[in-house]
Amino acid sequence: MKTTPEHDEGVAKMTFASVYPHYITKIEKKNRTLDELHQVIEWLTGFDENKLQELIVEKATFETFFQEANLNPNAHLIKGVICGYRIEEIQTPLTQQVRYLDKLVDELAKGRKMEKILR
């Protein structure tokens, strides 16, 4: 599934700080913890809690966020549909990486076991 250039640009310019509170709300509603959220983010990006806070304070865009990330070599195993897009078919690498993160947060919120989330 192809995304539009406008969609990809919107994703790239969005700040991690603007989305992070939504991740927290989503997982806490389903009785998951902030520690679990941070574990999932660290698995995907290599960012520990201190680095996440630094990126939030800097108001880093997703473009910067993923440029600085050390993407997990198993990230390509994240599959499924998120926001109407099949992740494995997204052709723009940055948009795909953001959707990887969205999918992991979704799986966490849906109660999936951590060992399944962290492929």
Side-chain angles (χ1 to χ4, degrees), residues 19-111:
V19 177
Y20 181 67
H22 299 288
Y23 290 158
I24 294 171
T25 301
K26 186 174 201 163
I27 60 115
E28 286 182 341
K29 276 184 185 175
K30 302 293 185 166
N31 296 319
R32 298 307 288 256
T33 67
L34 196 56
D35 284 342
E36 288 173 312
L37 175 62
H38 289 165
Q39 185 179 354
V40 164
I41 295 171
E42 187 169 353
W43 177 87
L44 180 64
T45 64
F47 297 148
D48 63 15
E49 204 169 323
N50 291 333
K51 181 63 176 177
L52 279 182
Q53 288 307 312
E54 187 182 305
L55 291 163
I56 289 167
V57 169
E58 288 174 12
K59 296 194 181 333
T61 63
F62 272 118
E63 186 171 31
T64 302
F65 184 87
F66 280 102
Q67 281 173 349
E68 293 186 22
N70 183 15
L71 206 64
N72 189 298
N74 287 338
H76 70 280
L77 299 174
I78 302 167
K79 299 188 184 318
V81 176
I82 190 87
C83 299
Y85 294 97
R86 180 152 290 287
I87 295 170
E88 56 272 26
E89 294 175 4
I90 297 173
Q91 295 177 0
T92 307
L94 176 61
T95 301
Q96 187 177 52
Q97 291 165 355
V98 172
R99 296 305 178 208
Y100 284 159
L101 181 55
D102 291 343
K103 185 67 174 174
L104 293 177
V105 172
D106 251 20
E107 290 177 355
L108 184 63
K110 287 179 179 171

